[in-house]
Amino acid sequence: MSPSVLMIVISSLATGTIITMTSHHWLMAWIGLEMNTLAIIPIISAMHTPRATEAATKYFLTQAAASAMILFSSMINAWQTGTWDITNLTYEPAHILLTMALAMKLGLAPMHFWLPEVLQGSTLTTALIITTWQKLAPMSLIYMTLNNLSTTTLILLGLLSSIIGGWGGLNQTQTRKIMAFSSIAHLGWMITISSIMPNIMILNLTIYLIMTIALFYSLILSKSKTIQDTTTTWTFSPALTIMMMILLLSLGGLPPLTGFMPKWLILEELVTQNLTPAATIMAMSALLSLFFYLRLTYTTTLTLSPNTTQTKLKWRFKPNRPTPLMGASSTISIFLLPMTPLMLL
């Protein structure tokens, strides 16, 4: 892809999300989502392989269908209420349709089937964009319409996503698919708490973005596309191996790492609201996710796969330099837990 085309695509991607996040009119929000979808298609299909083309097609079809549902829900709401204002979504069929459309856009269960397939057909860098930046616009729409959405529907979607996100990742060997199911599980936690305590949802989203960026950067630096690839990370950089181990444990939500903070706050709030069964299911589903994170941790740091004598010379190759963003995101992903009381003041 030429630099000028790449610049147009990236700026369209950024503009689309910003338009959606700052709009008060449904048509403007829809235009932002469409810009977002159309800008990422060339990035996904830039590899020119059948798998990349398939991923781009699947992504386009699901996102276009979800966008059409959003437009339809806003239209029937405008028909009933006489306003196109995003925050004034009072017609019940409209907000149920919108919830389903946004779940499809985000990749929440049971509309999650496209996400692992699309990530597997993309490069690691594209997968990073899809699991982080592409979640912002739909999440901002959920945040703006929270007062009118059904709490029961959101909690059910969240519970289902956290269970399927944990269960689906158990038998995966590809790191991109593991990250896709990880994304589904994390989004499930966010959606569960969204209508009860939106501030915790925003905190959870921020921490999820930081941890995902840090781990994807580690995978990109070590060129790890499968679990087997992670076993030779130590030959490339022992420091990166340790960092990956801690990042994976943080994503799994183990104390005293940052990833424990949102889980702790969400479970505490669910119990406070007398939603103990939901909190129990969420906690049990976190164990499923933790299992495949621990498996990745084990292969990265404690397993030596069959290798050649040249493997140990990997560190001599010209490396991809760690960026300041990776350093900052890794540090925050590990050490933020002691700051929790300050954030809640």
Side-chain angles (χ1 to χ4, degrees):
M1 197 183 287
S2 70
S4 54
V5 173
L6 188 64
M7 188 190 75
I8 293 167
V9 165
I10 296 292
S11 56
S12 300
L13 200 63
T15 310
T17 300
I18 293 164
I19 287 173
T20 304
M21 290 174 81
T22 54
S23 60
H24 291 282
H25 195 285
W26 273 115
L27 276 179
M28 286 304 291
W30 175 77
I31 287 167
L33 290 170
E34 284 300 303
M35 279 180 70
N36 225 321
T37 303
L38 294 174
I40 194 106
I41 299 296
I43 299 175
I44 298 172
S45 54
M47 292 281 289
H48 300 298
T49 58
R51 193 69 206 259
T53 311
E54 181 194 339
T57 309
K58 283 178 178 173
Y59 186 83
F60 174 73
L61 290 174
T62 50
Q63 297 297 312
S67 289
M69 281 170 71
I70 289 170
L71 198 58
F72 181 57
S73 71
S74 57
M75 199 165 63
I76 59 173
N77 184 66
W79 202 352
Q80 289 293 324
T81 61
T83 175
W84 285 89
D85 192 9
I86 288 180
T87 52
N88 195 7
L89 190 79
T90 49
Y91 186 49
E92 192 175 354
H95 70 65
I96 290 171
L97 202 58
L98 179 78
T99 309
M100 292 302 126
L102 290 173
M104 195 186 220
K105 272 219 166 279
L106 287 166
L108 288 171
M111 283 80 80
H112 66 284
F113 295 99
W114 62 270
L115 188 60
E117 297 298 320
V118 168
L119 288 203
Q120 188 54 37
S122 318
T123 60
L124 281 166
T125 313
T126 311
L128 169 61
I129 296 170
I130 294 169
T131 49
T132 54
W133 185 255
Q134 293 299 87
K135 304 297 182 202
L136 292 178
M139 286 304 275
S140 67
L141 283 178
I142 286 178
Y143 186 74
M144 284 189 276
T145 54
L146 266 180
N147 293 332
N148 302 311
L149 298 182
S150 163
T151 306
T152 313
T153 310
L154 290 173
I155 289 174
L156 283 172
L157 279 173
L159 289 174
L160 196 60
S161 297
S162 60
I163 292 165
I164 287 177
W167 223 321
L170 290 178
N171 64 342
Q172 300 301 332
T173 56
Q174 303 282 333
T175 51
R176 280 165 295 183
K177 280 198 173 180
I178 288 172
M179 290 307 292
F181 284 107
S182 159
S183 176
I184 293 165
H186 277 275
L187 286 167
W189 281 82
M190 285 175 232
I191 295 301
T192 305
I193 201 65
S194 59
S195 59
I196 300 166
M197 188 74 92
N199 293 351
I200 296 180
M201 181 189 83
I202 299 297
L203 176 69
N204 194 349
L205 178 63
T206 310
I207 289 171
Y208 159 75
L209 293 177
I210 292 167
M211 290 193 300
T212 307
I213 288 167
L215 188 57
F216 262 113
Y217 262 117
S218 304
L219 293 173
I220 290 164
L221 280 174
S222 58
K223 298 182 178 66
S224 300
K225 291 183 179 176
T226 62
I227 288 183
Q228 191 177 356
D229 292 341
T230 62
T231 57
T232 53
T233 310
W234 64 274
T235 59
F236 173 72
S237 166
L240 185 67
T241 310
I242 302 297
M243 186 63 79
M244 266 181 78
M245 177 190 81
I246 301 171
L247 283 172
L248 284 161
L249 294 177
S250 186
L251 261 172
L254 281 185
L257 304 168
T258 306
F260 176 61
M261 185 212 297
K263 286 186 167 59
W264 175 25
L265 295 174
I266 289 169
L267 290 176
E268 184 186 21
E269 191 56 37
L270 287 173
V271 173
T272 307
Q273 299 289 340
N274 287 328
L275 291 166
T276 314
T280 309
I281 294 168
M282 297 293 283
M284 299 296 276
S285 70
L287 295 176
L288 292 170
S289 299
L290 187 59
F291 178 82
F292 62 76
Y293 290 127
L294 281 173
R295 189 176 57 187
L296 261 177
T297 307
Y298 178 72
T299 56
T300 307
T301 51
L302 300 171
T303 309
L304 189 64
S305 66
N307 52 37
T308 59
T309 50
Q310 282 84 14
T311 307
K312 295 182 182 65
L313 305 178
K314 239 170 120 179
W315 61 273
R316 290 171 179 264
F317 300 154
K318 188 180 176 183
N320 294 329
R321 294 275 172 222
T323 60
L325 180 63
M326 187 197 165
S329 56
S330 301
T331 308
I332 295 169
S333 301
I334 295 166
F335 296 118
L336 202 64
L337 188 67
M339 304 293 286
T340 312
L342 294 177
M343 292 182 183
L344 297 175
L345 286 176

